[in-house]
């Protein structure tokens, strides 16, 4: 009896599955979380793309848990962000915490799950576009005309606390042009542009970006007509530059002529020769060798006649000198030997 009941149940399930397959009914396809965005670091929203529904009504739910936790939570708000989205309010948003989330799709034929997505609110910030963009043409007296623009930061961002820093970028182009001209404005909410084409109608937009995150969308375009007399008068400036340049050139020429230097000497100055400390080069030019040697520290050079007298006296007193030295001395000084014959004889005796 039990076997008959089991067989009937299996047969019924197979018949049901066969009927579903013939009608194109399948389990839902795999969903995908494709974007998460925070406009101000206080709240954020995630969106997903549903897979195929399998021909049956399909329910979607998002579950998440924070890193380091095991308890799973379900999405707190499926309405604020629109279809296929989950919105996290202030009470559910934590900075410097990683969220791990997935989407579950379910119908009568089964379920499927998306891949896990890791989200850090700090790095998914994308603010709303700036507001109240105002554009004007300014033509002050004695100055160049320019295009002046001003805007306000998004309302959801509080810049007064210093918790948030925004950078701005501007783009503009003539109405019929294809390419945009982009200018980075930094943190300021005002900007001036000088180079414009007179008589053209311009489109102007602005966007913003946080210190960590993504650029916002561009603000709605603002149109401005540039007058035909939008001409920059630079005649006075160019005349001043020409006069100043001429004066500088005259001063340089006068200075070079006054000093008597040629251009080659100014560009390639002569290489100074080596100098001896304490040595006067004029002594060498005058040819005074005694003073020159005295300056170099060479005393009593070359030997004078006093040296010869000392040598003679030494030879006369020293009795032990060899006869050879005396003969040499006699050859060198024959006059002295003729003057003193008695002395030599006395010594010999």
């Amino acid at each position: 009896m039990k076997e008959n009941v089991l067989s009937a149940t299996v047969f019924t399930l197979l018949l049901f599955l066969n009927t579903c397959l013939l009608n194109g009914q399948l389990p839902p396809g795999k969903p995908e979380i494709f974007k998460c965005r925070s406009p101000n670091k206080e709240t954020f929203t995630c969106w997903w793309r549903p897979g195929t529904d399998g021909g049956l009504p399909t329910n979607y739910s998002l579950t998440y848990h924070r890193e380091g936790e095991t308890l799973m939570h379900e999405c707190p708000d499926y309405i604020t962000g629109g279809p296929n989205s989950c919105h996290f309010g202030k009470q559910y948003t934590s900075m410097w915490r990683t969220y791990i989330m997935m989407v579950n799709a379910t119908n009568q034929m089964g379920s499927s799950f998306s891949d896990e997505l890791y989200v850090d609110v700090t790095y998914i910030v994308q603010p709303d576009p700036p507001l109240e963009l105002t554009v004007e043409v300014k033509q002050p007296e004695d100055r160049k005309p320019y295009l002046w623009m001003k805007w306000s930061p998004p309302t959801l961002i509080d810049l007064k606390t210093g918790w948030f820093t925004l950078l701005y970028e501007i783009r503009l182009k003539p109405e019929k042009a294809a390419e945009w001209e982009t200018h980075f404005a930094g943190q300021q909410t005002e900007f001036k542009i000088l180079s414009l084409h007179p008589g053209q109608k311009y489109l102007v937009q602005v966007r913003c970006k946080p210190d960590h995150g993504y650029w916002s969308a561009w603000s709605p375009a603002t149109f401005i007509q540039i007058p035909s007399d939008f001409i920059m008068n630079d005649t006075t400036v160019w005349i001043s530059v020409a006069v100043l340049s001429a004066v500088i050139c005259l001063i340089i020429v006068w200075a070079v002529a006054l000093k008597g230097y040629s251009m080659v000497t100014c560009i390639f100055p002569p290489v100074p020769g080596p100098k001896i400390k304490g040595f006067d080069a004029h002594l060498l030019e005058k040819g005074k060798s005694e003073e020159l040697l005295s300056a170099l520290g060479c005393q009593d050079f070359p030997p004078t006649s006093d040296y010869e007298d000392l040598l003679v006296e030494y030879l006369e007193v020293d009795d032990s000198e060899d006869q050879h030295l005396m003969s040499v001395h006699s050859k060198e000084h024959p006059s002295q030997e003729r003057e003193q014959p008695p002395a030599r004889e006395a010594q010999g005796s």
Side-chain angles (χ1 to χ4, degrees), residues 134-141 143-149 190-194 196 224-227 230-232:
T134 303
V135 185
E136 296 180 13
V137 175
K138 302 284 188 178
Q139 291 181 300
E141 295 182 0
R143 287 194 298 172
K144 297 179 180 180
Y146 59 88
L147 186 65
W148 175 82
M149 55 197 70
E190 296 184 14
F191 200 74
K192 298 178 182 179
I193 297 178
L194 300 176
L196 296 172
I224 183 71
Q225 180 68 41
I226 307 301
F230 189 84
I231 301 174
M232 294 175 286

Side-chain angles (χ1 to χ4, degrees), residues 15-32:
L15 181 62
F16 175 75
L17 290 173
N18 186 41
T19 302
C20 291
L21 291 174
L22 291 175
N23 293 332
Q25 296 176 347
L26 297 171
K30 181 180 179 179
E32 177 190 7

Side-chain angles (χ1 to χ4, degrees), residues 146-159:
Y146 59 88
L147 186 65
W148 175 82
M149 55 197 70
K150 184 179 180 180
W151 59 88
S152 301
T155 55
L156 294 178
I157 295 179
D158 184 10
L159 298 176

Side-chain angles (χ1 to χ4, degrees), residues 11-289:
F11 177 77
T12 303
L13 290 173
L14 292 174
L15 181 62
F16 175 75
L17 290 173
N18 186 41
T19 302
C20 291
L21 291 174
L22 291 175
N23 293 332
Q25 296 176 347
L26 297 171
K30 181 180 179 179
E32 177 190 7
I33 305 174
F34 68 93
K35 182 181 180 182
C36 289
R37 171 182 173 263
S38 173
N40 53 8
K41 296 184 181 180
E42 297 179 357
T43 64
F44 71 100
T45 306
C46 293
W47 291 265
W48 66 83
R49 295 188 185 94
T52 58
D53 59 8
L56 295 171
T58 303
N59 296 322
Y60 295 91
S61 62
L62 184 144
T63 57
Y64 71 94
H65 69 278
R66 296 180 180 89
E67 192 174 26
E69 300 178 356
T70 57
L71 182 63
M72 298 294 294
H73 306 276
E74 188 175 356
C75 172
D77 183 358
Y78 289 106
I79 299 174
T80 302
N84 302 320
S85 71
C86 176
H87 178 74
F88 294 80
K90 291 184 178 181
Q91 65 272 31
Y92 300 101
T93 303
S94 300
M95 292 293 295
W96 312 112
R97 295 290 299 274
T98 301
Y99 290 74
I100 303 170
M101 58 184 67
M102 68 172 63
V103 174
N104 178 23
T106 305
N107 64 12
Q108 294 180 357
M109 298 299 296
S111 301
S112 62
F113 297 88
S114 68
D115 295 330
E116 288 185 338
L117 180 67
Y118 292 75
V119 177
D120 187 337
V121 179
T122 306
Y123 298 100
I124 61 170
V125 179
Q126 184 181 26
D128 295 327
L131 304 172
E132 302 173 357
L133 175 60
T134 303
V135 185
E136 296 180 13
V137 175
K138 302 284 188 178
Q139 291 181 300
E141 295 182 0
D142 301 330
R143 287 194 298 172
K144 297 179 180 180
Y146 59 88
L147 186 65
W148 175 82
M149 55 197 70
K150 184 179 180 180
W151 59 88
S152 301
T155 55
L156 294 178
I157 295 179
D158 184 10
L159 298 176
K160 297 179 181 179
T161 60
W163 177 247
F164 219 98
T165 301
L166 285 180
L167 304 176
Y168 297 95
E169 190 176 58
I170 302 160
R171 71 175 185 179
L172 72 161
K173 69 170 185 174
E175 186 177 19
K176 297 181 180 180
E179 296 183 358
W180 292 87
E181 178 183 337
T182 305
H183 299 271
F184 181 70
Q187 298 184 29
Q188 60 184 343
T189 56
E190 296 184 14
F191 200 74
K192 298 178 182 179
I193 297 178
L194 300 176
S195 55
L196 296 172
H197 299 287
Q200 294 282 344
K201 187 176 183 179
Y202 274 81
L203 284 74
V204 183
Q205 292 179 302
V206 62
R207 65 177 181 175
C208 58
K209 176 185 178 298
D211 45 359
H212 297 287
Y214 304 94
W215 285 105
S216 70
W218 289 101
S219 66
T222 299
F223 294 85
I224 183 71
Q225 180 68 41
I226 307 301
S228 300
D229 59 349
F230 189 84
I231 301 174
M232 294 175 286
N233 296 322
D234 293 338
T235 306
T236 304
V237 176
W238 286 113
I239 291 175
S240 302
V241 172
V243 172
L244 182 61
S245 301
V247 171
I248 293 174
C249 292
L250 289 175
I251 291 174
I252 294 174
V253 172
W254 175 79
V256 173
L258 184 63
K259 292 184 177 181
Y261 292 141
S262 65
M263 294 302 295
V264 176
T265 306
C266 293
I267 298 175
F268 303 104
V271 180
K275 295 183 178 180
I276 301 174
K277 186 176 180 180
F279 176 72
D280 189 358
H282 295 290
L283 297 177
L284 184 62
E285 296 176 357
K286 294 178 180 179
K288 297 181 178 181
S289 59

